[in-house]
Amino acid sequence: MSFDRLRIELLSGLTVALALVPEAVAFAFVAGVHPLVGLYAAFIVGLITALIGGRPGMISGATGALAVVMVSLVAEHGVEYLFATVVLMGIIQIAAGVFKLGKFIRLVPHPVMLGFVNGLAIVIFLAQLSQFQVPGSAEHAGHGMANGEWLSGLPLYLMLGLVALTMAVIWLLPRVTTVIPAPLAGIAVTAAIVIGFGLDVPRVGDMASIEGGLPAFHIPAVPMTLETLWIILPYALILAAIGLIESLLTLNLVGEITGERGGASQECVAQGVANTVTGVFGGMGGCAMIGQSMINVKSGGRTRIAGTAAALFLLVFILFAAPLIEQIPLAALVGVMFMVVIGTFAWNSLKILTKVPLTDAVVIVLVTVVTVLTDLATAVVVGVIVSALAYAWQNATRIHAKTYETPEGAKVYQVQGPLFFGSAEGFNELFDVENDPGRVVVDFADSRVADQSALQAIEKLAGRYEAAGKRIELRHLSRDCHRLLTKAGHLMIDSDDDPDYQIATNYSVRTGILGGH
């Protein structure tokens, strides 16, 4: 590795570490735990995922999406139960990686990804607004806008000016030089002005002191009983799911920006190992952070060195440099995050809303809104469900049939389109049993029988023709259909060009994803 590359990676890591401090402290307050619990999580989760994660360049740490779930657990049972939950969360994530469940992230459609990115950009923006409030108690610093009065007059103008200065440096510096990452330069310039002129503005130290020692090994002090398991299991499952969804979507997003692919299953295992270790070292757990990942990527971080350096720099801050880091103005970090918002939001999605299918446009807006109002995992699940239902409906309307009569007087139905639960009713409406001749041929060469509902629709159709005293022949059905159709089995005609695919049905001899003809 060249010296220039190493310099870029280390400086990028330093920039990320500076941006991690207020986020980790704020999320610790949201969860109702000591700031060091959030900082330790950011260090341990960040270090382990940087070393063994599925995508070099990604940054992980304590996140708000997890903190909002933790707060009720901590309030009701205490922080020791949180540590036990984080350990179990990690074990669940490791299992998801071992069983390669991460591959299912490919089921997330592109409109959901756009909504996810836009919603997250808005969430990051809204999270920064709490810094425009009159500094109160430390506990209020991380709770959002409702806990304090808005800045006004000179303090507000000063805050806005420093934020604008930071953003201007980040925007202009790359046009002059790329020797140091622009976000780091923005923080340095603003901090130098604030410290040099002794400006009275909110600083990192106003949130809480970040000084502490090395995280110590600590087995969670909870009873090792089934009762404890039933308390922590629901939280662990929710946290594991949210953490993996956010991490895997960030993995895909970073991969798109850098043009490299990441290992979903490897990332699941890395997140699991990180959280398991974090739980026994007094951390609150975490997952991938899209904001800090964007800072890293935009600053030039492409290898595991940047993420590793970020975690180690954070530890150095805690152990040795707390007094210095606490002097950094929050305005500088807000400016960096505002630039992240601008760079993260998919502005092109606003242009394409009127050009893409209505369903896709609705999904983009829906996921964005749900992300802002609830959390990322809920938004993604909602988006996937809506997309799946829309896809099923579109396919349900595609089934139709061409008909013609043979010289022998038989009527042939050439079924076209997929036959599955959504189109089964429409399939039966294609046939005119009462007026059809005594011999009917149903040709499935241009169709695909997909599931149990489709099989039942075929048997129902065969029963209708038999009840009417007419003969029906079924052609070009797969071998699975031959085996699984019971009532209509003797009506099928074998041929050499029968398709060969599997049917997704719970009573199939074989199960699997539908193959090709």
Side-chain angles (χ1 to χ4, degrees):
M1 177 179 289
S2 67
F3 175 77
D4 279 346
R5 169 46 53 187
L6 181 60
R7 173 182 56 80
I8 291 172
E9 297 288 334
L10 291 177
L11 290 176
S12 180
L14 176 58
T15 309
V16 170
L18 291 172
L20 278 171
V21 173
E23 298 273 304
V25 172
F27 295 145
F29 285 138
V30 170
V33 296
H34 192 279
L36 282 176
V37 175
L39 291 166
Y40 286 154
F43 161 61
I44 297 172
V45 174
L47 179 63
I48 293 176
T49 55
L51 292 173
I52 64 173
R55 175 78 278 267
M58 275 179 58
I59 304 297
S60 296
T63 63
L66 299 181
V68 294
V69 177
M70 298 171 179
V71 60
S72 60
L73 173 65
V74 175
E76 186 174 351
H77 298 285
V79 71
E80 294 295 332
Y81 276 82
L82 172 62
F83 297 149
T85 301
V86 171
V87 172
L88 182 57
M89 162 194 176
I91 294 171
I92 294 170
Q93 290 177 326
I94 292 173
V98 170
F99 291 105
K100 301 190 181 303
L101 301 183
K103 63 186 177 183
F104 289 107
I105 200 66
R106 69 186 64 172
L107 296 177
V108 177
H110 188 63
V112 176
M113 277 293 295
L114 288 177
F116 160 77
V117 169
N118 291 348
L120 201 52
I122 296 173
V123 168
I124 294 173
F125 172 79
L126 294 176
Q128 308 312 309
L129 297 184
S130 62
Q131 309 304 341
F132 290 87
Q133 293 176 310
V134 177
S137 67
E139 291 186 6
H140 286 173
H143 278 288
M145 297 175 288
N147 292 310
E149 297 179 2
W150 292 102
L151 293 173
S152 61
L154 182 60
L156 175 61
Y157 301 141
L158 193 55
M159 185 76 169
L160 290 172
L162 293 172
V163 170
L165 172 64
T166 306
M167 296 174 70
V169 172
I170 295 173
W171 183 64
L172 291 171
L173 187 67
R175 292 161 172 76
V176 179
T177 179
T178 56
V179 172
I180 62 174
L184 180 59
I187 294 172
V189 169
T190 304
I193 292 174
V194 169
I195 296 172
F197 289 94
L199 300 179
D200 184 18
V201 295
R203 308 189 187 194
V204 171
D206 293 333
M207 298 182 70
S209 173
I210 66 168
E211 189 172 2
L214 286 170
F217 182 78
H218 168 72
I219 298 294
V222 297
M224 298 297 177
T225 62
L226 278 177
E227 182 181 356
T228 299
L229 178 63
W230 294 131
I231 291 174
I232 66 174
L233 182 59
Y235 289 98
L237 288 170
I238 294 171
L239 291 171
I242 293 174
L244 289 184
I245 290 173
E246 186 166 351
S247 298
L248 294 175
L249 289 177
T250 304
L251 179 105
N252 286 349
L253 183 63
V254 172
E256 288 180 7
I257 294 173
T258 60
E260 299 179 23
R261 297 181 62 186
S265 297
Q266 183 179 345
E267 183 64 28
C268 292
V269 172
Q271 293 288 336
V273 172
N275 282 305
T276 303
V277 174
T278 302
V280 295
F281 277 92
M284 62 184 281
C287 64
M289 307 180 74
I290 189 170
Q292 277 66 19
S293 296
M294 291 300 101
I295 291 175
N296 186 43
V297 172
K298 298 294 174 61
S299 299
R302 291 293 184 275
T303 71
R304 298 188 185 277
I305 293 176
T308 304
L312 295 177
F313 276 128
L314 187 59
L315 181 62
V316 170
F317 296 164
I318 296 170
L319 297 178
F320 309 111
L324 178 62
I325 300 302
E326 288 170 9
Q327 295 304 309
I328 294 176
L330 289 173
L333 301 173
V334 171
V336 171
M337 297 311 293
F338 277 173
M339 292 302 287
V340 169
V341 169
I342 294 172
T344 301
F345 194 91
W347 299 101
N348 65 316
S349 64
L350 300 178
K351 297 179 182 179
I352 66 174
L353 279 179
T354 57
K355 300 177 181 178
V356 298
L358 178 61
T359 302
D360 289 348
V362 169
V363 169
I364 293 172
V365 175
L366 178 65
V367 174
T368 300
V369 172
V370 176
T371 298
V372 174
L373 296 181
T374 58
D375 60 72
L376 300 173
T378 301
V380 170
V381 170
V382 168
V384 170
I385 290 174
V386 171
S387 297
L389 291 174
Y391 176 78
W393 174 255
Q394 290 167 1
N395 278 278
T397 60
R398 283 172 51 194
I399 196 160
H400 60 283
K402 295 180 179 179
T403 62
Y404 65 89
E405 291 194 7
T406 66
E408 295 80 13
K411 186 174 182 179
V412 179
Y413 286 86
Q414 291 182 312
V415 181
Q416 297 182 324
L419 179 55
F420 67 113
F421 68 90
S423 60
E425 190 68 28
F427 168 76
N428 273 289
E429 293 175 358
L430 297 175
F431 301 90
D432 186 3
V433 178
E434 184 177 342
N435 298 316
D436 279 346
R439 180 167 171 258
V440 173
V441 178
V442 184
D443 190 342
F444 290 90
D446 296 323
S447 181
R448 177 66 60 86
V449 178
D451 57 14
Q452 178 180 343
S453 297
L455 296 173
Q456 290 180 335
I458 295 173
E459 293 199 338
K460 179 180 177 182
L461 177 68
R464 288 168 59 196
Y465 275 106
E466 285 187 330
K470 299 176 181 180
R471 174 171 174 74
I472 180 174
E473 297 176 3
L474 308 174
R475 293 183 176 175
H476 294 116
L477 285 168
S478 73
R479 302 300 175 187
D480 262 8
C481 290
H482 284 249
R483 282 195 298 272
L484 296 173
L485 282 171
T486 54
K487 297 177 184 176
H490 63 285
L491 305 174
M492 286 184 290
I493 307 299
D494 281 322
S495 63
D496 294 335
D497 57 349
D498 280 346
D500 184 19
Y501 56 80
Q502 298 177 6
I503 303 171
T505 171
N506 58 3
Y507 62 83
S508 172
V509 178
R510 298 179 300 158
T511 59
I513 299 174
L514 303 184
H517 281 284

